[in-house]
Amino acid sequence: MTIRLVLLGRQGSGKGTQGARLASHYGIAHISTGEMLRNAIKHGTPVGKVVKDIIDNGGLVADDLIGSLVKGRLGESDARTRGYLLDGFPRTLPQAQLLDDIARARPVNVVVDLEVPREMVIARLSARLAAEHRADDSPEAVERRLALYEEQTAPLIAHYRKQGVLAVVDGVGTPDEVFARLVSAIHATTGVASRGGGGQPRR
Ligand code: ADP
């Protein structure tokens, strides 16, 4: 079975790091909407110009804009044939419904909720501000992003639990410990141990 995975988790939960590692472990496309948007800003594209202030302030980009970017990316051949890991999308219920539509023929088969308590991610994000200087890691933007997460993204957990594809993973621990937990939860949910897609997709 090909893995089509959504990674949910608070900002600073380690989604980016673990997402990259999982994507290479399974040989699937790593699709980070935050990275796509930051690249658009860096290259001064029309999308980049629209989203820059929103991102720096810790707000959310409009569902239809992000939806069309993701739809385009999921239509590319690597994502279609080998599977993918989505990091940062969906982030709202309308986005989840959009993804249900986009992926109707080949639905998402595992949604991982990487759980790290709020106090712990706040500490991690303030450390990241010192190291990486992301404008949206300022204390005000972090506060806003976390509030938006609770308000808009946390409800997706129930949405995917209902679909029977949810796996909750404890994100507190060393990166290796957390990675091992993720792989075993993905195995339990999809039956795939590693290098899931590889050849031809079954559906
Ligand atoms: P984080 O989850 O740590 O805030 P990301 O790199 O995933 O960081 O996203 C950075 C910013 O990009 C978000 O704060 C938001 O402004 C924008 N963004 C990314 N994905 C989405 C999305 N699915 N919907 C709306 N905005 C998004």
Side-chain angles (χ1 to χ4, degrees), residues 9-12 15 32-35 37-38 51 54-56 58-63 66 70 87-92 95 125 128 134 136-137 145 148-149:
R10 287 195 175 86
Q11 292 75 6
K15 260 184 310 152
S32 157
T33 46
E35 232 163 71
L37 296 171
R38 281 188 291 276
V51 303
I54 300 171
I55 293 190
D56 284 353
L60 286 178
V61 172
D63 289 337
I66 197 81
V70 169
D87 166 2
F89 183 95
R91 245 184 171 81
T92 65
Q95 290 180 15
L125 291 170
R128 184 165 87 183
R134 260 173 66 171
D136 62 347
D137 282 343
R145 285 156 64 208
L148 282 169
Y149 186 84

Side-chain angles (χ1 to χ4, degrees), residues 2-4 29 31 73-84 106:
T2 309
I3 294 190
R4 290 176 297 275
I31 304 176
R73 181 65 187 87
L74 290 184
E76 287 176 30
S77 72
D78 60 336
R80 289 170 63 92
T81 59
R82 303 172 70 90
Y84 53 82
R106 288 179 295 271

